[in-house]
Amino acid sequence: DAKTTQPPSMDCAEGRAANLPCNHSTISGNEYVYWYRQIHSQGPQYIIHGLKNNETNEMASLIITEDRKSSTLILPHATLRDTAVYYCIATNTGNQFYFGTGTSLTVIP
Amino acid sequence: ETGVTQTPRHLVMGMTNKKSLKCEQHLGHNAMYWYKQSAKKPLELMFVYNFKEQTENNSVPSRFSPECPNSSHLFLHLHTLQPEDSALYLCASSQAHRENYGYTFGSGTRLTVV
């Protein structure tokens, strides 16, 4: 699996967009980018994943750069319930998920 | 509820006890996983089952013994644990291992070894 690098923590004002960056400069062509989040003391929750095209679902948008070396998870209108640790994982279809330390997002009222 | 149910939610056990953690999913998934999350550490993959067969064991001590009687149920049998085994134990499932499917996690069992 490609190594991913995320900032350890971020703050975001409630109602504003939260943009969470992830670097995966060693990603290979068949590796997908997955995003999960973990609210305190709960199991991780799947958010979104993509290969090279930008993706959007009801929870978030995923923007992947053209060279695929980095991506950004966008929560368009952050709420207090979005406070969590966000994990970016780059993995191919043959491997399981290894979670790093993620980004601790705090949404501020 | 995510569709993956773990019981009990909390467990306190002595080092000489034997206990079991249970995980159940009715999502029609064929792969199930045990993860361990110690305080302020990343999740660690422990075991992988794909179509009831164990396919991964990431150097987990033998005091942890998994069992997968069918695709819907996964157990983690615990015996003679150490205090450092205290952690959040998470179960996850996916449609099939080694396929491009995301994982669905349960809420975990918070284990304290005294």
Side-chain angles (χ1 to χ4, degrees):
Chain A
D1 290 351
K3 177 180 167 56
T4 61
T5 303
Q6 299 177 252
S9 63
M10 292 180 63
D11 292 339
C12 177
E14 187 179 17
R16 304 294 294 270
N19 299 295
L20 293 93
C22 179
N23 285 320
H24 31 79
S25 58
T26 61
I27 196 169
S28 61
N30 61 350
E31 288 184 316
Y32 286 73
V33 179
Y34 285 80
W35 283 85
Y36 282 78
R37 72 180 183 184
Q38 187 174 22
I39 296 170
H40 181 61
S41 292
Q42 297 182 23
Q45 175 191 24
Y46 166 82
I47 301 173
I48 199 167
H49 76 283
L51 183 61
K52 51 185 176 181
N53 297 323
N54 296 338
E55 302 288 343
T56 295
N57 62 21
E58 64 277 4
M59 290 182 68
S61 294
L62 173 60
I63 308 298
I64 303 174
T65 57
E66 193 168 340
D67 63 8
R68 301 205 332 118
K69 294 183 184 297
S70 66
S71 60
T72 301
L73 178 74
I74 301 172
L75 308 178
H77 305 286
T79 70
L80 299 179
R81 286 179 293 182
D82 291 323
T83 292
V85 177
Y86 287 76
Y87 299 99
C88 170
I89 303 162
T91 185
N92 65 29
T93 58
N95 292 336
Q96 53 265 31
F97 291 89
Y98 289 100
F99 292 77
T101 52
T103 295
S104 178
L105 174 70
T106 302
V107 179
I108 303 169
Chain B
E1 284 297 329
T2 63
V4 177
T5 303
Q6 290 187 244
T7 54
R9 290 297 304 273
H10 300 272
L11 177 63
V12 179
M13 62 184 287
M15 289 189 284
T16 58
N17 290 160
K18 289 184 179 181
K19 297 285 185 183
S20 296
L21 309 185
K22 180 181 177 181
C23 177
E24 184 174 357
Q25 59 90 8
H26 296 289
L27 300 170
H29 289 172
N30 294 301
M32 298 186 78
Y33 311 81
W34 280 116
Y35 279 84
K36 174 185 176 182
Q37 188 172 34
S38 303
K40 300 188 179 181
K41 288 187 178 179
L43 280 80
E44 301 170 53
L45 179 65
M46 299 175 74
F47 301 105
V48 179
Y49 277 83
N50 197 35
F51 292 92
K52 300 187 297 179
E53 297 296 320
Q54 184 177 318
T55 59
E56 305 276 349
N57 175 343
N58 282 353
S59 303
V60 180
S62 59
R63 57 185 184 270
F64 295 91
S65 174
E67 178 190 2
C68 188
N70 54 61
S71 291
S72 299
H73 295 85
L74 184 65
F75 295 89
L76 187 63
H77 303 299
L78 317 171
H79 65 97
T80 59
L81 294 193
Q82 304 298 313
E84 58 265 29
D85 296 322
S86 299
L88 180 67
Y89 288 85
L90 290 158
C91 172
S93 69
S94 68
Q95 286 190 313
H97 186 47
R98 299 189 179 274
E99 297 290 338
N100 181 28
Y101 301 111
Y103 290 7
T104 302
F105 281 84
S107 298
T109 295
R110 175 71 61 185
L111 174 68
T112 303
V113 181
V114 298

